[in-house]
Amino acid sequence: MKVDYLIVGAGFTGATLAERIARELDRKVLVVDRRLHIGGNAYDEYDSHGVLVHRYGPHIFHTQSKKVWDYLSRFTEWRPYCHRVRAVVEGKEIPLPFSLASLRRLFSERLADRLEEKLLAHFGYGARVPILRLREEEDPDLRFLADYVYKHVFEGYTLKQWGLRPEELSPSVTARVPVLLSYDERYFQDPYQAMPKEGYTALFRRMLSHPNIQVLLGADWKEVEGEVRFHRLIFTGPMDEFFGYAYGPLPYRSLRFVWEHHPKPWFQEVGTVNYPTEYAFTRITEFKHLTGQDYLPHTTVIYEYPEAYTPGENEPYYPVPREENEERLRLYQEEAAKLKTVLFAGRLGDYRYYNMDQAVARALKLFEEVARG
Ligand SMILES: Cc1cc2nc3c(=O)[nH]c(=O)nc-3n(C[C@H](O)[C@H](O)[C@H](O)COP(=O)(O)OP(=O)(O)OC[C@H]3O[C@@H](n4cnc5c(N)ncnc54)[C@H](O)[C@@H]3O)c2cc1C
């Protein structure tokens, strides 16, 4: 078999590149994925109770990029959806990101008034203040707040999520945790927030439905390598695996999912509830909030238990953000740069935490390079 492009991985990165190359460059593309379905980690399906669920954990679409939004809108209609997240802190459910509304749920009116007044005087309404920035303040009330959020919302969750203490991770992780100076209870503030009306898998099906695209599922790259002739390879699988782990594995964090079905209309008030300090799981997500299947009299939830990643045993989900891993990545990137006909991209190919929109944006940019030849 002979194609112009062989693309390994049918997730957002692979599907976007396949679609662009097939349609815009009129080239033949073969997409292979070792899973038995398209969509990568964004794959969704109906469970045995008719609830649309995300097999690899809840995926909520949001973006600031009009370009990504317009591009994906060619393949789906959208259902408006603003994700809401709560965290259980000292027995109370508070909105996340930590905001002025969260203050009010936790502290006495007097203390909340004082904190709010000081926060607004220092940073202004609507600001997103990184927790580390707040910790630099000399005002004891603001320091108290920073320490409180760090301890009750961030520290325990980080320990569970990564199996590491915050100081063992790249400082950028802590730097990102914000206190939001508003009463906006949406988890994301991006201008575009919605879920694909018929789900992600339907969106992928449309993306990949082009006469120039063939899709081969249940096939590892290694199995097709010798069988298919191609001009260029786009690899969206793990970069370390591609090079036979020559410099050692790039560490990932994995997840174990526990599913529950409940014979009642709703399980919790919002899409996701985080448990920063209690239990071994990090969060519970109820899919009906995401999918809008309000009419169903029963509901499905997923618990996420973070665990170490072991190749062949579980899935590589989150690249671990540590300096030493960046150094190892650089060694692999140097190898990759020597290969003139192979391009690496995506969450695994770049070893970067990308949200779905970032994966699409990266793929669209890479396509421009491909198109230039
Ligand atoms: C639990 C979880 C929750 C998330 N939630 C969100 C969210 O709410 N919002 C958001 O925007 N993003 C979310 N993401 C991120 C989202 O999953 C990624 O942005 C997206 O999957 C990236 O697409 P990709 O194509 O780069 O990678 P993937 O989707 O991982 O696709 C890569 C594909 O390559 C295949 N592959 C790998 N190696 C080989 C090989 N050797 N041979 C053949 N095939 C191979 C894999 O089977 C896989 O299907 C979440 C991720 C996780 C893990």
Side-chain angles (χ1 to χ4, degrees), residues 8-15 32-35 37-42 56-62 83 188 200 204 219-222 235-238 241 255 257 283 304 315-318 345-349 353-360:
V8 178
F12 266 112
T13 306
V32 299
D33 202 301
R34 60 185 168 201
R35 289 173 174 165
H37 57 74
I38 55 174
N41 283 344
Y56 303 98
H59 278 66
I60 293 100
F61 187 80
H62 58 101
H83 196 46
F188 304 110
Y200 290 103
F204 278 98
D220 195 287
W221 138 253
K222 281 280 156 214
F235 192 81
T236 78
E241 182 188 312
L255 291 170
F257 299 120
R283 56 182 187 173
E304 294 176 48
E315 295 286 337
Y317 284 131
Y318 300 105
R347 183 180 251 226
L348 304 167
Y353 182 91
Y354 291 141
N355 276 323
M356 294 179 282
D357 64 321
Q358 294 170 313
V360 172

Side-chain angles (χ1 to χ4, degrees), residues 213-230:
I213 302 179
Q214 270 183 280
V215 179
L216 185 61
L217 297 174
D220 195 287
W221 138 253
K222 281 280 156 214
E223 296 165 38
V224 295
E225 190 183 358
E227 307 290 322
V228 181
R229 284 195 294 145
F230 50 88

Side-chain angles (χ1 to χ4, degrees), residues 119 123 127-137 142 146 149-150 171-181:
L119 284 166
F123 305 103
R128 280 176 86 88
V129 188
I131 189 84
L132 290 187
R133 170 73 188 79
L134 207 54
R135 274 188 143 186
E136 288 164 8
E137 288 294 317
L142 296 184
V149 177
Y150 186 89
S172 60
V173 179
T174 325
R176 278 201 298 266
V177 181
V179 170
L180 186 61
L181 303 196

Side-chain angles (χ1 to χ4, degrees), residues 251-276:
Y252 285 91
R253 195 74 172 148
S254 192
L255 291 170
R256 180 170 63 86
F257 299 120
V258 172
W259 301 84
E260 275 180 6
H261 188 74
H262 293 271
K264 57 181 181 183
W266 295 103
F267 181 81
Q268 59 193 26
E269 273 181 35
V270 294
T272 298
V273 179
N274 286 9
Y275 293 82

Side-chain angles (χ1 to χ4, degrees), residues 108-126:
S108 70
E109 198 179 336
R110 226 172 112 209
L111 177 56
D113 282 347
R114 200 165 76 224
L115 287 166
E116 178 172 328
E117 198 178 308
K118 287 187 176 178
L119 284 166
L120 297 185
H122 274 69
F123 305 103
Y125 191 84

Side-chain angles (χ1 to χ4, degrees), residues 16-234:
T16 301
L17 280 155
E19 190 279 336
R20 292 288 73 200
I21 291 167
R23 193 177 303 272
E24 296 296 321
L25 306 184
D26 195 20
R27 297 288 163 85
K28 299 275 179 230
V29 182
L30 173 66
V31 180
V32 299
D33 202 301
R34 60 185 168 201
R35 289 173 174 165
L36 292 171
H37 57 74
I38 55 174
N41 283 344
Y43 173 70
D44 56 13
E45 61 191 337
Y46 287 90
D47 71 7
S48 58
H49 308 280
V51 182
L52 183 59
V53 297
H54 303 168
R55 188 186 287 185
Y56 303 98
H59 278 66
I60 293 100
F61 187 80
H62 58 101
T63 188
Q64 298 182 2
S65 164
K66 182 171 182 327
K67 188 174 173 187
V68 169
W69 174 260
D70 287 345
Y71 174 67
L72 290 178
S73 300
R74 297 178 196 183
F75 312 106
T76 187
E77 289 180 42
W78 300 95
R79 190 182 78 78
Y81 173 69
C82 289
H83 196 46
R84 283 183 166 70
V85 178
R86 301 232 178 107
V88 178
V89 173
E90 298 197 292
K92 295 177 187 145
E93 272 196 22
I94 63 160
L96 284 187
F98 197 97
S99 65
L100 299 178
S102 319
L103 279 184
R104 303 256 158 222
R105 304 254 175 110
L106 281 169
F107 305 129
S108 70
E109 198 179 336
R110 226 172 112 209
L111 177 56
D113 282 347
R114 200 165 76 224
L115 287 166
E116 178 172 328
E117 198 178 308
K118 287 187 176 178
L119 284 166
L120 297 185
H122 274 69
F123 305 103
Y125 191 84
R128 280 176 86 88
V129 188
I131 189 84
L132 290 187
R133 170 73 188 79
L134 207 54
R135 274 188 143 186
E136 288 164 8
E137 288 294 317
E138 277 176 17
D139 184 292
D141 281 338
L142 296 184
R143 293 276 296 275
F144 155 78
L145 181 65
D147 289 343
Y148 188 94
V149 177
Y150 186 89
K151 180 162 177 270
H152 292 280
V153 181
F154 177 65
E155 191 177 39
Y157 196 89
T158 304
L159 259 172
K160 280 199 268 181
Q161 176 76 0
W162 298 105
L164 294 168
R165 299 194 51 74
E167 50 279 14
E168 295 175 281
L169 292 164
S170 159
S172 60
V173 179
T174 325
R176 278 201 298 266
V177 181
V179 170
L180 186 61
L181 303 196
S182 80
Y183 283 91
D184 185 348
E185 292 197 17
R186 296 171 307 161
Y187 190 62
F188 304 110
Q189 273 73 44
D190 292 347
Y192 304 100
Q193 307 189 34
M195 298 294 286
K197 206 167 181 179
E198 293 163 61
Y200 290 103
T201 306
L203 179 160
F204 278 98
R205 225 175 271 129
R206 286 191 205 105
M207 280 180 104
L208 293 169
S209 142
H210 189 279
N212 282 342
I213 302 179
Q214 270 183 280
V215 179
L216 185 61
L217 297 174
D220 195 287
W221 138 253
K222 281 280 156 214
E223 296 165 38
V224 295
E225 190 183 358
E227 307 290 322
V228 181
R229 284 195 294 145
F230 50 88
H231 289 303
R232 273 185 126 172
L233 171 68
I234 297 177

